[in-house]
Amino acid sequence: MFNYIKFAIFQIIGFLLSIFKLKRFLKFPDKFTMESKFSFLQKQAKSSLKLVNIDVSIIGEEKIPKEPVLFVVNHSSMLDSYILISSVNRAVGCVIADEPVWKNIPIVSKWAAIIKCVYINRHDNRQGLKSIIEASNNIINGQSMAIFPEGDLTWVKDDHSIISEFKSGALKIAYKAKCPIVPIVIKNSKETYHGYEPVGKIKSTNVEVEFLDPVYDHIENPKIKTIDLGESIREDMIESILNFNFKYKKATSK
């Protein structure tokens, strides 16, 4: 529990100290680049993980196209957003579940707005479509976005899945923006956080983040169904995790 207490205190102090910077960004939104706005969150994420001895190694970063993309990320830990933000080489907004627990966090919600995060209603298709259009417009205007298409933590949806089934409708963001999809595979993150609530137990461990080859299938063939594209991406991500698990077990058994 000591790791969690350290982590939580660091968030409170870090975000409280960011208020002055936050006010400047909100008052003069066009005076600062998105990269400069994002840099605080990335530093906060990296420092937070380092504080609790979660070491993140990154592979495949050179595969990310220079143009804005839609990152598709698996989701097995409450710390995945920190791992994602600490790993990407650019400013990125996230598509977040439209739930009060996430929308109403003091200070943090303001930072989410600054980096163009989009809240999506998973129970109202009409509102969900508006969010998809908003996220795709962000990409068209130069802002990469990220989604966790499982819609919840992997083990909450299906404890036996390596990656649970996608809510593939979210991939429509890439269809509308006509942008590449870059799958991000976060490996071993389930071990970083035990729990499903804002209060849990944080474990120090190593995590690997792999950027897979960018996907252009939906651009080359816009008629491909999102469910088929999503399943193809999911299978590639699962294969990456299985390869990692095999190598990890082999290394630890020596």
Side-chain angles (χ1 to χ4, degrees):
M1 197 66 182
F2 181 60
N3 262 352
Y4 177 83
I5 294 171
K6 284 195 301 182
F7 186 88
I9 292 173
F10 188 76
Q11 304 318 304
I12 294 170
I13 294 173
F15 282 103
L16 284 175
L17 292 176
S18 77
I19 290 176
F20 176 74
K21 184 178 292 188
L22 180 62
K23 286 182 177 179
R24 288 182 66 202
F25 288 157
L26 290 171
K27 188 174 182 179
F28 307 105
D30 299 326
K31 189 175 179 180
F32 303 93
T33 65
M34 185 58 70
E35 286 67 27
S36 65
K37 297 172 185 176
F38 186 74
S39 65
F40 163 75
L41 293 177
Q42 189 164 67
K43 289 176 183 176
Q44 180 75 8
K46 288 182 176 180
S47 297
S48 299
L49 296 173
K50 185 177 181 180
L51 180 69
V52 292
N53 297 310
I54 294 175
D55 182 54
V56 180
S57 59
I58 302 170
I59 58 175
E61 190 177 27
E62 71 283 353
K63 296 178 180 178
I64 307 174
K66 293 183 179 180
E67 63 192 291
V69 304
L70 176 67
F71 292 108
V72 171
V73 197
N74 63 307
H75 196 16
S76 58
S77 168
M78 296 288 282
L79 296 183
D80 283 341
S81 58
Y82 284 82
I83 295 168
L84 166 66
I85 289 172
S86 70
S87 302
V88 291
N89 64 357
R90 64 188 64 182
V92 60
C94 293
V95 177
I96 307 169
D98 188 2
E99 303 290 348
V101 67
W102 305 123
K103 290 185 71 173
N104 300 325
I105 302 176
I107 305 175
V108 176
S109 59
K110 299 293 185 182
W111 278 106
I114 280 177
I115 63 169
K116 298 185 183 297
C117 289
V118 174
Y119 294 95
I120 187 165
N121 191 317
R122 296 179 292 187
H123 311 293
D124 185 324
N125 291 337
R126 180 175 294 181
Q127 293 302 318
L129 180 58
K130 288 182 180 179
S131 299
I132 287 171
I133 293 171
E134 181 181 352
S136 65
N137 285 337
N138 286 346
I139 295 175
I140 291 169
N141 292 323
Q143 169 79 10
S144 291
M145 299 294 294
I147 60 169
F148 295 93
E150 292 172 270
D152 209 330
L153 296 181
T154 305
W155 55 270
V156 171
K157 288 186 66 180
D158 184 353
D159 194 36
H160 301 291
S161 289
I162 295 173
I163 298 177
S164 62
E165 290 186 4
F166 284 1
K167 294 181 179 295
S168 298
L171 297 180
K172 291 179 181 177
I173 295 168
Y175 282 68
K176 291 183 178 297
K178 297 180 181 178
C179 72
I181 295 172
V182 177
I184 301 178
V185 188
I186 303 178
K187 309 167 191 177
N188 205 41
S189 73
K190 182 180 179 181
E191 298 303 313
T192 63
Y193 193 100
H194 293 178
Y196 185 55
E197 301 297 333
V199 178
K201 183 178 179 182
I202 295 176
K203 179 181 177 181
S204 301
T205 189
N206 296 329
V207 172
E208 182 176 280
V209 173
E210 182 178 5
F211 294 88
L212 302 186
D213 291 330
V215 177
Y216 296 91
D217 298 17
H218 57 294
I219 298 175
E220 297 165 357
N221 178 18
K223 292 184 179 180
I224 186 173
K225 294 181 179 178
T226 55
I227 192 169
D228 294 331
L229 182 63
E231 187 58 24
S232 175
I233 293 171
R234 176 173 169 267
E235 287 174 358
D236 288 342
M237 295 171 76
I238 289 173
E239 183 180 357
S240 175
I241 292 175
L242 289 174
N243 289 337
F244 170 83
N245 290 346
F246 176 77
K247 292 176 183 177
Y248 183 79
K249 288 179 180 178
K250 190 174 181 180
T252 55
S253 64
K254 291 182 179 178

